[in-house]
Amino acid sequence: KNEVEQSPQNLTAQEGEFITINCSYSVGISALHWLQQHPGGGIVSLFMLSSGKKKHGRLIATINIQEKHSSLHITASHPRDSAVYICAVITQGGSEKLVFGKGTKLTVNP
Amino acid sequence: SQTIHQWPATLVQPVGSPLSLECTVEGTSNPNLYWYRQAAGRGLQLLFYSVGIGQISSEVPQNLSASRPQDRQFILSSKKLLLSDSGFYLCACKLTTVNSPLHFGNGTRLTVT
């Protein structure tokens, strides 16, 4: 079993829909990242969370440390949001290891 | 803010040939540096990470090695490439301060033929 599980693996939505991508992890963490990977391969860090909630534009990320769960929400989705969204956790213990989920491929149709 | 330079962007190499991928970081000092690989249809896999010059930790046994000859330079190498080394290689850096974000290079797409 992977230490970081994402769901769904694939998601297709119509423009304007509200999107939720989930991430569950089974290890102790010091922080969690949400990353966006575009078709060309480049990766951009969207959020880094250790507690609570963060918002940037139409993107909202939440984390529940007790439940070991995080969600990424996209409001008013747009075709340009189409990408792979990856959850990654920084494990505790000072090793600076990052463990990645397998990603959620989002396609937003116009 | 940090900028990561990674090259080349694409590379096609025959089996058995050597490999050297370079990653340099600007705008920071003493970062933690990482090499990841993303095989086709799979998630990112941590290959190596470094918390300082000459300090390399390997996460998986493989045909690859890494070196950090300078504070802001991280090199991924192989003496003899295998077909299974094909994939998308990403360099990343992170400051050592708590809750600092992760920054990625643009990646190198390696095809071993």
Side-chain angles (χ1 to χ4, degrees):
Chain A
K1 187 179 186 303
N2 292 330
E3 292 171 306
V4 180
E5 296 279 357
Q6 281 185 240
S7 63
Q9 284 187 312
N10 293 282
L11 183 56
T12 300
Q14 289 300 121
E15 184 172 357
E17 285 185 2
F18 181 81
I19 304 290
T20 296
I21 299 171
N22 295 301
C23 175
S24 297
Y25 52 92
S26 58
V27 294
I29 70 169
S30 58
L32 179 146
H33 289 267
W34 279 104
L35 310 169
Q36 182 189 53
Q37 185 174 30
H38 282 282
I43 294 180
V44 174
S45 178
L46 299 174
F47 295 102
M48 189 178 67
L49 295 165
S50 54
S51 65
K53 176 180 174 178
K54 286 189 177 180
K55 183 176 188 293
H56 185 253
R58 295 180 294 106
L59 301 177
I60 303 167
T62 64
I63 188 168
N64 185 318
I65 296 295
Q66 287 73 30
E67 295 185 3
K68 294 189 175 179
H69 181 268
S70 176
S71 293
L72 177 69
H73 305 285
I74 305 175
T75 61
S77 59
H78 190 276
R80 64 173 175 267
D81 297 326
S82 298
V84 174
Y85 292 84
I86 302 170
C87 171
V89 300
I90 300 174
T91 59
Q92 288 178 334
S95 68
E96 290 293 324
K97 282 180 58 175
L98 287 91
V99 181
F100 290 79
K102 291 186 177 180
T104 295
K105 184 176 181 180
L106 171 65
T107 303
V108 182
N109 295 316
Chain B
S1 64
Q2 301 98 309
T3 303
I4 301 179
H5 300 282
Q6 194 179 334
W7 66 93
T10 58
L11 189 60
V12 180
Q13 292 282 99
V15 168
S17 63
L19 173 74
S20 180
L21 301 181
E22 188 162 344
C23 170
T24 59
V25 180
E26 290 181 1
T28 186
S29 59
N30 197 31
N32 290 344
L33 297 174
Y34 307 83
W35 276 113
Y36 292 95
R37 177 170 61 199
Q38 187 176 42
R42 300 182 64 181
L44 284 159
Q45 180 187 36
L46 177 63
L47 300 176
F48 300 96
Y49 70 94
S50 171
V51 298
I53 296 173
Q55 299 179 63
I56 309 294
S57 296
S58 174
E59 288 300 304
V60 293
Q62 60 213 315
N63 185 41
L64 302 167
S65 61
S67 62
R68 185 169 178 177
Q70 300 180 44
D71 180 45
R72 287 173 284 183
Q73 184 184 30
F74 204 24
I75 299 171
L76 183 69
S77 304
S78 174
K79 291 182 180 178
K80 289 186 179 181
L81 284 168
L82 305 172
L83 286 174
S84 58
D85 292 324
S86 294
F88 188 63
Y89 290 83
L90 281 155
C91 177
C93 82
K94 178 184 174 298
L95 296 179
T96 56
T97 51
V98 174
N99 294 335
S100 63
L102 192 64
H103 298 271
F104 286 87
N106 288 329
T108 296
R109 191 162 301 281
L110 171 66
T111 304
V112 182
T113 60

